Structure formats: structure tokens, C-alpha cells
Amino acid sequence: MKKLLSIVLALVMVLALVACGNTTNNNGTVDNGTVDNGGASSNDGSSDAEQTGAGKTVGIAMPTQSSERWINDGANMKAQLEALGYEVVLQYAEDDVQMQVSQIENMVAQMVDCLVIAAVDSGALTAVEAQAKAAGIPIIAYDRLLMDTDAVSYYASFDNKGVGTAIANYIVEAKDLENAEANGESYTIEFFMGSPDDNNAVLLHQGIMEVLQPYLDSGVLVCKTGRTSFDETCILRWSQETAQQWCENYLSGFYADEDLDIVCSAFDGFAYGCRSALEAAGYTDANWPLITGQDAELMAVKNIISGKQTMSIYKDTRLLAEKCVTMVNAVINGTEPEINDTTTYDNNVLVVPSYLCTPVAVDAGNYEELLIDGGYYTAEQLAE
Ligand code: BGC
């Protein structure tokens, strides 16, 4: 009888928790009431009494607040975990590897029940990851794969090669590259790729080159600097300043007498840097290049609307957070999370079971449907 009563009580508490669950929109603000998750499926097991996080703490180590996406990722995850009753310790390392190591060391010392890590440098955390494993703390890799460790249980991310494929396919279609040779057209292009210590950046470059290499080979695309390999085009820590500097150098050197037609950038931050360089070099609407990006940050979407950026890759951080939360629940409660890839993400020690969300290209033609109708941004935010 006593047991039955405690089960009933537990169920009532869970229902109450779910009913008043706090959820986030994409401004990092917390809304009370209904979840607007833009069509993201909700299978985090939040209605299951055994999967609540009461009395458990999750440590979240995020790379930086210098780019909007990570602020949203952290806020979304914190809100979703707190809605399930978890305590959350959320820390940002401001792209400082050592700072991230000590933040995670502290979380291990605190004996959190699970760690969620989006690494500054994906291979630099092996020692602290081993400490976590020795202490029995499971680790989920968030968005960036954790390399060279056996301490990681699951990986929640987007199809990172698919991001590159989507960027490249956009360029092919927008410039009609398939017919360019026959039409006697060619376009100049430069590449601004991601950080060499981020596995995502390597995959993204592979995805781009798989599509664009034939056009570089045939001369339909002309890269005047000759810098097309990952080693030649990667930018440490995804630095906007470096991208701007490179773009300024290219424009005043290789492109002093000829326009740059395509800025193939792997990140919205790079697109902002290149925009500044292009404006400083006197580019106008008449010769403004096609500029790609990634993350569909608020500023990027505003730039897409005003024509200063052509496209970005929409990665719904609410959905990613939701998938990660299912993994946290699984490692803490001994259940199975949803996995859709068990072959791709080899971190040099093991192939990490992953859930990969689908990246989508966004431009002036579809941002309203994708982002406003999908509840990611409001029309007011984009108009400000
Ligand atoms: C993420 C991208 C992001 C980049 C820079 C990558 O690991 O996958 O979405 O643009 O880091 O922050």
C-alpha cells in the first residue's frame, strides 16, 4: 500500500513537472507553457516517471559565447533539462582550451551525473575525459565529435558532411554551374573553412569539394589564390577576424583587377568578416558576390534579407538540444536513446553512436517559411 502510494505520488509530481515545464524559444529566453519546437519531435521520455532528473546534475561545457549559436544551444539544453528536473551547470570556455579543461575538471570534482561537451579543441580533452570515465561520469559529445577517447557514450550533431554538400549544391544551382561551361561562363571563388581542431570542419570541406572539385578541374570555377585544400583554407577557432583579414588580402592582391564572384564560407561569422572586407574594398550591389554561411544566425538572416549574404545553413538548435537530452536521460537512467548513425563518426578509438539532424539551406526565398513559420525567429526580430 505504501509502495502504491509512493508510485502515485511520484506520477503526480512528474505530471505537474511536465505541465509547467519551462521551454525555450530560440532567443535563449524561457517561455512558460507550450513548447514551440518548430516541428521537432518530442520523445525525450519526459512523461516517464523513471526518466526525470530530480536530484541529478548535468554539466554542460560549451565552447564560446562569441557566436550566437552556442548561446542558443546552451540555453535550449539548460531549459529542456531543467524542465525534466535536472540541475544544470552550464559553462562557456570562450575558445580557451585550458579554460575548458579546468571547467570540466571542476564538473568532475563536483561529481555531476553526466557531462555534455561541445569542445573548443576536440582532441585536447582526453585527460579530463579519462578522469570523468574513472569517476563513472558518462559523456555526450555535443555537435563536435570528441576525438581520441573511449569515454564518450553518444554523439548528437548534424550531418556535417551534409552541411558542406548543401553549401556546394547551393552554389552549383545559383550559378547554374552545370551549364556554365557550355555557356562560356566561369566564376572566381575563394574558400574560408572551419577550425582544424574541429572534426566538423574537415567533413564540411569534404562535402564541399566532392561537389565543387569537378568545376574547379574544368575551369568553370577559378580559385585565383589556388587555396582549395583543407590545410590551406582552414581557420583556427573559426575566427571571424582571420577570415576578414584573409579576404582583405585576397581582394587587394589576387583580386585587384578582377571581381571575386563567390565567397564559399563555412560559417556565418566568416561571412560577416568577408562582408566588411568587401565593403572596404568598394564592392556594391552591382558586383556583390554570392556569400555562403552556416548556422542561420539572426544577423546572418538579416544580412540575407538585405542581400549582404546569400545563404546560410539552418541548424535547429532546439532539435539538437532535444536529441541530446534523450541521450542524457538514457545514460543516467539506463535506457536506449534514439540513434540514426552507427558507422560514420569514428573518433580514432571507437565509432560513436550518433543522432544526426538534417541541415537545410536557407536563403531569401525560404527564410519566412523555414524560420518564421517554424518559430525559430519572429518577424519582429528579423525586422529590427
Ligand atoms: C558547428 C557549426 C559552427 C562552428 C563555429 C561547428 O562545430 O558545427 O555549426 O558554425 O562550429 O562555431
Side-chain angles (χ1 to χ4, degrees):
M1 185 62 196
K2 223 172 150 191
K3 199 172 170 203
L4 183 70
L5 190 70
S6 55
I7 291 174
V8 171
L9 267 176
L11 271 174
V12 168
M13 276 175 66
V14 169
L15 286 176
L17 248 178
V18 170
C20 14
N22 290 337
T23 59
T24 49
N25 59 23
N26 194 44
N27 315 318
T29 56
V30 178
D31 300 328
N32 287 317
T34 52
V35 193
D36 178 4
N37 65 0
S41 70
S42 188
N43 63 348
D44 55 13
S46 55
S47 60
D48 184 341
E50 278 157 20
Q51 294 199 346
T52 57
K56 308 274 185 195
T57 303
V58 180
I60 305 178
M62 286 280 140
T64 177
Q65 295 184 88
S66 68
S67 133
E68 181 193 300
R69 80 149 285 184
W70 300 111
I71 299 175
N72 293 334
D73 283 287
N76 287 334
M77 213 155 14
K78 185 169 188 290
Q80 290 185 25
L81 286 166
E82 285 177 350
L84 292 171
Y86 288 100
E87 292 277 324
V88 174
V89 180
L90 168 61
Q91 293 204 300
Y92 285 87
E94 308 317 341
D95 276 335
D96 180 328
V97 180
Q98 266 323 304
M99 188 189 296
Q100 187 163 55
V101 169
S102 37
Q103 287 175 343
I104 299 170
E105 276 170 358
N106 286 337
M107 292 176 190
V108 173
Q110 233 177 295
M111 282 306 289
V112 296
D113 296 281
C114 177
L115 280 166
V116 173
I117 303 175
V120 172
D121 176 338
S122 307
L125 301 174
T126 48
V128 71
E129 284 156 351
Q131 281 171 30
K133 188 175 177 186
I137 302 171
I139 301 177
I140 315 276
Y142 188 84
D143 196 72
R144 295 175 175 172
L145 186 60
L146 295 166
M147 305 302 288
D148 309 315
T149 178
D150 66 351
V152 55
S153 302
Y154 294 109
Y155 178 43
S157 189
F158 284 82
D159 172 359
N160 290 293
K161 189 173 170 198
V163 174
T165 311
I167 290 175
N169 281 339
Y170 189 95
I171 293 172
V172 169
E173 275 177 41
K175 293 294 188 191
D176 192 18
L177 296 190
E178 278 182 35
N179 296 310
E181 200 168 4
N183 295 339
E185 304 278 2
S186 70
Y187 300 96
T188 54
I189 185 167
E190 292 299 333
F191 298 89
F192 300 83
M193 296 292 109
S195 193
D197 52 14
D198 183 346
N199 188 54
N200 293 356
V202 179
L203 294 175
L204 191 156
H205 178 262
Q206 280 171 12
I208 285 185
M209 284 307 161
E210 233 172 63
V211 177
L212 294 189
Q213 190 63 52
Y215 298 105
L216 287 161
D217 293 343
S218 70
V220 161
L221 290 177
V222 179
C223 177
K224 295 187 79 168
T225 65
R227 297 171 71 166
T228 57
S229 71
F230 183 70
D231 288 350
E232 291 164 318
T233 56
C234 63
I235 296 181
L236 187 65
R237 303 281 133 72
W238 301 84
S239 159
Q240 174 175 330
E241 293 69 33
T242 305
Q244 178 168 343
Q245 187 75 62
W246 283 14
C247 194
E248 284 168 3
N249 293 346
Y250 295 172
L251 296 178
S252 59
F254 291 95
Y255 293 89
D257 302 318
E258 188 180 353
D259 286 346
L260 173 58
D261 299 320
I262 303 168
V263 172
C264 184
S265 125
F267 169 44
D268 286 343
F270 296 161
Y272 310 150
C274 291
R275 173 193 172 163
S276 303
L278 287 155
E279 279 171 347
Y283 278 70
T284 63
D285 287 352
N287 60 349
W288 197 258
L290 186 166
I291 305 180
T292 68
Q294 173 178 209
D295 291 337
E297 292 191 341
L298 185 60
M299 198 200 293
V301 182
K302 287 181 179 178
N303 288 344
I304 287 174
I305 295 168
S306 70
K308 294 297 179 198
Q309 186 171 328
T310 314
M311 63 85 73
S312 186
I313 296 293
Y314 169 44
K315 298 165 92 173
D316 188 342
T317 51
R318 298 165 303 181
L319 179 60
L320 185 62
E322 188 187 302
K323 295 302 174 190
C324 184
V325 167
T326 70
M327 292 173 175
V328 171
N329 268 332
V331 291
I332 289 185
N333 297 300
T335 55
E336 289 293 321
E338 193 182 350
I339 294 301
N340 64 7
D341 186 291
T342 52
T343 55
T344 310
Y345 285 91
D346 185 340
N347 77 352
N348 301 327
V349 178
L350 76 154
V351 181
V352 185
S354 311
Y355 189 95
L356 305 178
C357 307
T358 307
V360 185
V362 58
D363 70 359
N366 66 358
Y367 79 90
E368 282 174 313
E369 187 190 335
L370 273 182
L371 304 177
I372 301 180
D373 299 352
Y376 203 65
Y377 296 125
T378 62
E380 291 70 37
Q381 282 177 299
L382 292 173
E384 273 161 19

